[in-house]
Amino acid sequence: MKHIFHHPPEKATGRKYWRSIGQLAETKEFQGWLEREFPEGASELKADGVSRRSFLKLMGASAALAGMGLAACRHPLNLVPFTESSEWSIPGKALFFATSMPWRSGAEPLVITTHDGRPTKVEGNPRHPVSSGGTGTFAQSSLLDLYDPERSRFFYQDGEEATAEDFEHSLDYMIGRLGDGSGLAFLAEENASPTRERLRKEVLKRFPKSRWAVYEPLGNELADAAHAAAYGAAVTSVFNIEAADVVLSLDNDFLGSDEVAPVVARGFANRRRVEKPGDKMNRLYVVENRYTITGGMADHRLRLPASQVGHFVLALAKELGVDAGGITAEGNVELPEGWVREAAADLRSTNGRCLVLVGNRYPVAVQQLVAAINEKLGAQGKTLFSLPQTVEPALSLSDLATAIKEKSVRTLVILGGNPVYNAPSDYNWRELQESIPLVIRLGLHEDETSRVANWHIPAAHYLETWSDGIAYDGSYTAVQPIILPLYNGWSENDLLAKFAGQPKPKGSELVQETFRARLGGADFAKSWNQFLHDGFLPATVKPGALSYRGSLPSAKLAAPAGPGAIEIVFPADAKMDDGRFNNNGWLQEAPDPITKTTWDNVAWISPKTAKELGLKHPIHASEHDLVEIAFDDNRKVEAAIFIVPGHADNSIALSLGWGREVVGKVGEGTGVNAYRLRTSDSLYYGVGAKITNLRRKFPIAHTQEHFSMEGRGLVREATLDEFAENPTFVKDNVSPPAPPNGVSLYPHPKLTSPNQWGMAIDLNTCFGCNACVIACQAENNVPIVGKEQVINGRSMHWLRNDRYFVSDGGEEEDLGEYASDPQMVVQPMMCQHCENAPCETVCPVNATVHSDDGLNVMAYNRCIGTRYCANNCPFKVRRFNFFDYNQRPIGKVKVPILGEVSGLALGPLTKKGMADTLKMQKNPNVTVRMRGVMEKCTFCVQRIQEARIAQKVKAGSSSDTTIPRDSFTSACAQACPTDALVFGDIADPESRVSKLKAQQKAYTLLEYLNINPRVTYLARLRNPNPKMPDAKRTASQAEPAHS
Amino acid sequence: MAEQKRVYGIGAEFSSPAELMHAAEKVRDAGFKRWDVHTPFPIHGMDKAMGLGKSWLSAVVFIGGITGFLTGVFLQFIPSSFIYPMIVAGKPVNFMTVPAFIPIMFELTILLSAFACVGGLCVFTQLPKWYHPIFNWERFTRVTDDGYFLLIEARDPKFSETKTRQLLTDLGGAHVTLVHD
Amino acid sequence: MATGTSTFEQQKAEVTRVPLVTNNRSISWITQNISSIVEEKTPIWWWVAMMFTVPVALFGLFCVAYQISTGVGVWGENHPVGWAWDITNFVFWIGIGHAGTLISAILFLTRQKWRTSINRASEAMTLFAVCCAGIFPAIHVGRVWMAWFLAPIPNANAIWPNFRSPLLWDVFAVSTYFTVSVLFWYVGLVPDLATLRDRAKSKVTKFIYGIFALGWRGANRHWRHYEMAYLILAGISTPLVLSVHSVVSFDFATSVLPGWHATIFPPYFVAGAIFGGFAMVLTILLPARLLYPQLKDVITPQHIDKMCKIILLTGSIVGYAYAMEFFMAWYSANPYEIWVFLRNRVADPVVFGPLFNVPPAPYWWAYWAMIGCNVFAPQVFWSKKNRHNLILVFIIVNLVNAGMWFERFVIIVTSLHRDFLPSSWGMFHPTWAEIGLFVGTFGIFLTLFLLFMRFLPMVAMSEVKIVLPEADPHHHPEGPSHDKTTQVQH
């Protein structure tokens, strides 16, 4: 069937959605392409570089698959022209495709930017209520995993390389002998994909006795149990945080690593947008052992060891008159006088418009009690809702472990996940897995688990596969391939289909089948196209109220941590999650939101506890004290400590996901593996660890050495009431004062463009989640530099999140004294595009000048690298390429005489160039910078130019070259899940950014330099409860402009 | 020796700057024009004694300086204000921006003055000139040590081999010698 | 002319007291003994010295090659410390490069006859110091091969240099300074080259010196232009030498950075340059005096005494500048300025930290090393006894050399490492590559100076001769000594 090339009408943004998968996917050519070319062509992608021959085939296949997101997968080295024009693909123009990222807490709806068939950027799906255009850090970074040159490429049989054919044959043979499947077991990750669920049922139909277990090291196992007990297994619950006036988070980092659905962050933020005095905002109480970005947003924060949170819940239940049933607690915990009382009163006063959240790995009893409390508060139907359960209950890992011990599992199929690395240490999973006759492992990487599997099958990245998912709001989302599998990987659906007795799917058949079933009668082709175009079907089921059938168990909470009994908490890592992102350079180098550490995890510890243990935080250095954390002789690790103000005493937090043994070069030797300490009965924390000061040091790379703002009016804070009384507090006592308006020896030269770009950043809705940092890195081809370079202070991020601890105590960290319980503020910092930019005047070669639309622009090929501009930049946002970060090996390399040395420092002696797949990720519209040039935030000038060109094309001969209002935005602003960053035209008073800049709490930094930044900050506000014992402190700590 | 060579002039050596000066005055009064004294170091008053005026090198340097200054002005204003008027740190591109240009105007003034000075010196003294007849006079090497010489050229209209020789001898010149080309 | 005569009277008074050349040396003695340094057989110590300096110089050049081929990252610089040893060393050397021209030009204009015995060596020192200084701004850039963008020539970028940038002023100032210094030095050298030419034994040396002597024959019709040229060069070099270090100080003064942004910088830097320059002159000449005893009669205790006085004066000016900077930071009530001076520099663990009740500054040691060497050490020169104790003088001037390096380090690094936003604060740690390069420049400097001693007259003979009594046309050997004073300096 011939396709006549019709160019679709172009939107102002230049954004296009792909339309007609159906027409194409059903055609003969399409099937033909796949059968003929796909496996053969793809199988030649083994070698790092794609051979030209196989590439041409893929090209052909891609051409045919154009519009299905497979437009011309381009070899980075040999540029090959399209042999035939493929639908809607204009070289140099981006195409956009809707898909979604599978995640344990629900699929995240995305839109993928592709250039010539290469996915180059991940964005949130603006049409989907869960995303509304925002994304989380992980979604942004998942793109790099797709191109990870160290991703699994080959089939392995008992460590020997094999081919897909070998595998299929032996698989068919093996399946034929499974009988009723009594020896067959599957171990999968949490994923609500209806297609997977359907295949699972079909497999079960074929093998009735087969087992299906699900394991997520950070999963909702306990939460589900508690939920089932409280509300029944038939439903799952979602909360609408936007409806809550008061939120009490019991160690639930719902703004951070515990919940990636952007809708939650956005919902919370929407209640904190204060435009004018008198506006209301919600109130957040947080009880947690360590600082999380959620805790950073708290109006009242109580630092409490995780093992005492249960006791806190009991106290709260008592206060609210909730019958704790048989739940009692060992030991008693001193809570600050009045804290629980007033918090409870505050919750009660909202009559239901409130929410109590608890960490999903707390003991079931505690979580049930919290459910009871929510019930008592009347949150059901107001902030808490139910959705029908879409996934059948599955066995837990412990059930599976028992079965394996009983030798009743002879064939284990592991779909993703990495149990050998992250199963609770008391299972000795490695031995268990070795004891199974046949283990088939589908994995993205050859990792710890593949090493003890008979078959390792390279998994396809979610950007390479057909699947589907259920989003947070219960809507049905599409997962469609944006590019052919780079490394010939299989999806779990492919594998399950084989077990279900079907041929390995050629394309979207499986998903279409599921879709058809959900669709009912409607016109299939049409709605399927719509589905793929939008990336989702709107949620059909409306969330209903939960019916609480409270029956609290009788349980005794273990004795909490205290002096002499130190607890170890295993939080999800803000960057590695459970370890799956360990080989992801972007995430490795993204600073932790709180400690700002990179390339390692550290043992967080409070100043007091550190002092008791004789541990010191390094001053002006990167060498941190090493300690041994031991529960017993087998359960022990050596970790570097990091003193974190605001951390609970007698509590150490060591995040999971680090210290991988079998991992690529990037993740190699990063961090320590906290899973070693973690057992099935201490999934979240364990009390009674022995801490030994090893009197050794370990270098930790962090991007921000200093904790305190030193009283400089950078982040300006007030309470809601203070703002109401004094709406212009941000302008008060600014020191040194700003020059009187208009004072200048000469007028500023005229900026002639109709659009003038600027940005407003609302510090009240920015949590510092890093999504913008990664988005910027992906959009602007920002290189990673490696641990050693970060230690040298050479990280290249154009956009960083400055984190300050604010306290009224006279602590002096230069002397090693840290605030024990400060508040935390975050400030995104990028080039401020000063109208009188100090960097420009000092550049001897005019490499950085001002554009007529008010940008401070960099001409990379003009820059000779004097670094004078960086020295003269008051914000220190300019980044210099000290080495050839894109061309030379990051990290250590082996050389004859010297041994292990930094590859960068060897320079010309090392091999030049980057992995081909990594080249494919680069944004073709942004120069990849060489060594010796300065770079910095450009306000995504490539996007500005794209929009400007589109407008000029539209304008034609007319003079209307003004780019339409808010028709595009910068990468950081687009990624921001809470719209804390707003980019736009400040020449247009109606644009969003102009409106924000007009607010009374808007201010710019370092006014006294008279540099007129184009970036405006909106002051941070807190909403303390005046009755709370720490209300005073909150108020007094609020940092006015001057202090 | 150079008997058949053309005579360049007659030179005499004197024992001290004082005597040389005295001799110079006499030669000057005798109305000679093409003659010169040679000393290891400049002797104050000798210009007067020889009836020489002020050196006009300063004028040359002045012209050089002006040239340098104007070079500075045009080199900076033409690109920065007319060809590529770029917005740099919100600074003006018109004449208001002159303070930033002063250092380079100054440096160029100095540089071209220096070139003019050395260039002018070479022109006025007609140096470098690696061959000169006077170098044929063996004793003359002492001129860079502690010899004080006076030489009257044959080209001088008043020159007469015998009279001039007599004059120099009378003035107390030693080693009065005929210097050949 | 009134001033002329008045200075003339001073000369009179002074010169009658102590002769500039001791032991009544004759003109030919001067010629003989200065030239002999060049003519005699190369002494052993010279070879030994070269055996040390040449390898060091070569290592320095290796470090340059390594840095250019690999990237600026081989140095310890980072964000926020974008400049460190590179610019520190640049300012250090360019500062040293000021004494020579200063002695030649300013002392010449002010009729300081005593300059004649030291100006040649110090001018040579200037040139070599500027050579060393020139290395750093050239290679500190990230892309040396693109450094020609600095030149105001049309290019593919259709962009011209930014004439508002102090760095570009630097390019013009330093290159002008070097060129003019070379001319000034060479013009002064011509008569002495002629001397060497006329004394040369071998044809080859005669030829080579002859080429450079330009055929100089001491004719008075030449001397009169020569003297005028010399006077003019001195005249234009004087504002030049003052401008160069002012421009260098603009690199910092025109920025917005607390600790750099100070109007006091130009005079303060010039004083510092003279200060460090004279220290380096003495550092070089004192050993030279030991190695060549005949120099003792030319470079007399009187010269050393005068230079010590100048070091004392300029050192005190510099000390005043330090104090004034600190005062202005306090007086401005600008918390950023105060932080830089108090918390980044002054606050030491013992005295000032406790006094101002702040923790020690990360670089307090550098600051106090600077104060100790530059402000306190030279104070010993108040006593004439100390000024004539050559060992002590040698120690002090070397302390001053170190102090002046620390001054630049303090200004650059301690201002950069903790500026406006605490989030971007950091520390600087030097690497072997930049240390090696710095040491290497000393190798280059000394090698060049050793070559100079070996092949060129270290003292301006023709000028020294002028200050001898017998050079005076009205001098009568038996005449009374006061006649001597009627000689007038050109």
Side-chain angles (χ1 to χ4, degrees), chain A residues 383-399:
Chain A
T383 58
L384 264 177
F385 301 94
S386 79
L387 284 173
Q389 182 61 267
T390 57
V391 186
E392 294 292 317
L395 300 178
S396 75
L397 191 67
S398 56
D399 305 336

Side-chain angles (χ1 to χ4, degrees), chain A residues 52 91 140 864 919:
Chain A
R52 195 169 184 291
Q140 286 289 343
I864 63 173
K919 289 181 188 163

Side-chain angles (χ1 to χ4, degrees), chain B residues 85-99:
Chain B
M86 282 193 265
I87 305 175
V88 172
K91 288 183 164 44
V93 295
N94 53 21
F95 69 92
M96 292 281 281
T97 190
V98 74

Side-chain angles (χ1 to χ4, degrees), chain C residues 115-400:
Chain C
R115 68 177 267 285
T116 54
S117 13
I118 55 168
N119 69 332
R120 170 68 44 74
S122 42
E123 282 172 50
M125 194 197 73
T126 291
L127 300 180
F128 305 151
V130 176
C131 291
C132 293
I135 295 174
F136 292 96
I139 69 161
H140 92 286
V141 300
R143 303 198 300 166
V144 188
W145 50 95
M146 288 299 176
W148 61 274
F149 281 165
L150 288 163
I153 50 177
N155 59 71
N157 302 106
I159 307 176
W160 275 57
N162 176 10
F163 294 105
R164 296 177 184 84
S165 166
L167 273 191
L168 199 68
W169 305 346
D170 256 3
V171 172
F172 279 82
V174 173
S175 48
T176 302
Y177 182 57
F178 183 73
T179 319
V180 174
S181 302
V182 170
L183 293 174
F184 196 21
W185 181 65
Y186 182 65
V187 168
L189 205 50
V190 166
D192 291 356
L193 287 168
T195 308
L196 293 177
R197 173 198 63 198
D198 294 346
R199 293 171 53 89
K201 303 275 172 298
S202 88
K203 275 201 139 22
V204 180
T205 41
K206 196 177 192 66
F207 177 75
I208 294 170
Y209 284 123
I211 292 293
F212 288 104
L214 307 176
W216 181 260
R217 49 187 196 273
N220 193 60
R221 293 173 193 274
H222 291 176
W223 277 121
R224 56 192 278 262
H225 296 303
Y226 178 90
E227 285 184 73
M228 176 59 77
Y230 203 80
L231 181 67
I232 289 168
L233 282 176
I236 60 179
S237 300
T238 306
L240 177 63
V241 70
L242 298 181
S243 81
V244 172
H245 226 52
S246 303
V247 168
V248 169
S249 78
F250 290 160
D251 288 348
F252 309 106
T254 59
S255 77
V256 299
L257 206 65
W260 284 13
H261 182 75
T263 45
I264 196 178
F265 266 29
Y268 154 29
F269 266 52
V270 170
I274 298 166
F275 182 54
F278 270 93
M280 187 54 88
V281 173
L282 280 173
T283 318
I284 297 280
L285 286 185
L286 291 176
R289 237 168 137 264
L290 284 181
L291 295 163
Y292 293 112
Q294 60 265 51
L295 290 178
K296 289 203 172 115
D297 292 336
V298 187
I299 303 165
T300 63
Q302 191 197 158
H303 293 105
I304 295 160
D305 181 276
K306 285 190 161 67
M307 286 195 269
C308 289
K309 283 177 181 165
I310 290 183
I311 288 176
L312 176 57
L313 170 70
T314 49
S316 309
I317 295 175
V318 168
Y320 169 80
Y322 297 154
M324 197 42 61
E325 266 189 313
F326 193 74
F327 168 78
M328 289 312 293
W330 168 78
Y331 189 70
S332 70
N334 177 332
Y336 301 97
E337 293 278 347
I338 293 170
W339 183 282
V340 166
F341 283 94
L342 185 56
R343 300 282 309 260
N344 287 2
R345 295 182 183 177
V346 173
D348 64 299
V350 186
V351 185
F352 287 90
L355 181 64
F356 292 102
N357 185 27
V358 294
Y363 285 105
W364 66 270
W365 47 271
Y367 184 82
W368 287 105
M370 166 186 98
I371 295 287
C373 297
N374 291 356
V375 184
F376 297 139
Q379 300 307 321
V380 305
F381 288 153
W382 284 105
S383 123
K384 181 167 178 145
K385 204 166 103 291
N386 293 342
R387 294 199 300 268
H388 286 257
N389 173 347
L390 299 187
I391 309 290
L392 181 64
V393 171
F394 189 69
I395 294 168
I396 297 295
V397 293
N398 278 294
L399 283 179
V400 171

Side-chain angles (χ1 to χ4, degrees), chain A residues 712 792 794 802 842 867-868 905, chain C residues 66 75 82 165 251 419-420:
Chain A
R712 303 176 174 188
N792 292 353
R794 293 168 183 177
D802 293 350
V842 297
R867 302 188 294 293
Y868 198 175
Chain C
Y66 175 55
W75 294 343
S165 166
D251 288 348
D419 63 348
F420 294 93

Side-chain angles (χ1 to χ4, degrees), chain A residues 620-621 703-706 708-710 712-714 735-736 789 791-796 800 802-804 812 814-815 827 829 838 840-847 859-868 870-876 878-884 888 904-908 930-934 1005-1006 1008-1009 1011, chain C residues 66-83 86 140-151 155 157 159-168 250-258 260 333-337 339-340 343 358-362 416 418-427 429 431:
Chain A
H620 313 311
T703 59
Q704 184 177 344
E705 184 186 83
H706 212 70
S708 161
M709 210 184 313
E710 298 302 346
R712 303 176 174 188
L714 304 173
S735 161
Q789 289 296 303
I791 288 177
N792 292 353
R794 293 168 183 177
S795 103
M796 292 299 287
R800 60 176 201 261
D802 293 350
R803 177 267 302 121
Y804 299 108
E812 192 39 85
D814 283 1
L815 291 170
Q827 181 171 45
M829 179 58 61
E840 290 171 2
T841 186
V842 297
C843 175
V845 293
N846 265 335
Y860 298 128
N861 57 352
R862 176 70 179 173
C863 176
I864 63 173
T866 66
R867 302 188 294 293
Y868 198 175
N871 292 343
N872 208 29
C873 171
F875 307 97
K876 291 286 173 284
R878 289 179 154 265
R879 293 290 175 254
F880 184 68
N881 289 273
F882 283 96
F883 284 115
D884 219 341
R888 302 294 178 186
L904 293 165
L906 276 183
M930 77 180 294
R931 89 169 143 97
V933 304
M934 191 61 71
L1005 293 180
L1006 303 176
Y1008 89 97
L1009 294 175
I1011 48 182
Chain C
Y66 175 55
Q67 186 264 343
I68 292 175
S69 63
T70 310
V72 180
V74 304
W75 294 343
E77 293 168 345
N78 55 31
H79 317 120
V81 185
W83 286 348
D86 47 5
H140 92 286
V141 300
R143 303 198 300 166
V144 188
W145 50 95
M146 288 299 176
W148 61 274
F149 281 165
L150 288 163
N155 59 71
N157 302 106
I159 307 176
W160 275 57
N162 176 10
F163 294 105
R164 296 177 184 84
S165 166
L167 273 191
L168 199 68
F250 290 160
D251 288 348
F252 309 106
T254 59
S255 77
V256 299
L257 206 65
W260 284 13
N334 177 332
Y336 301 97
E337 293 278 347
W339 183 282
V340 166
R343 300 282 309 260
V358 294
L416 279 171
R418 307 209 293 183
D419 63 348
F420 294 93
L421 268 52
S423 62
S424 54
W425 289 359
M427 292 291 287
H429 307 285
T431 65

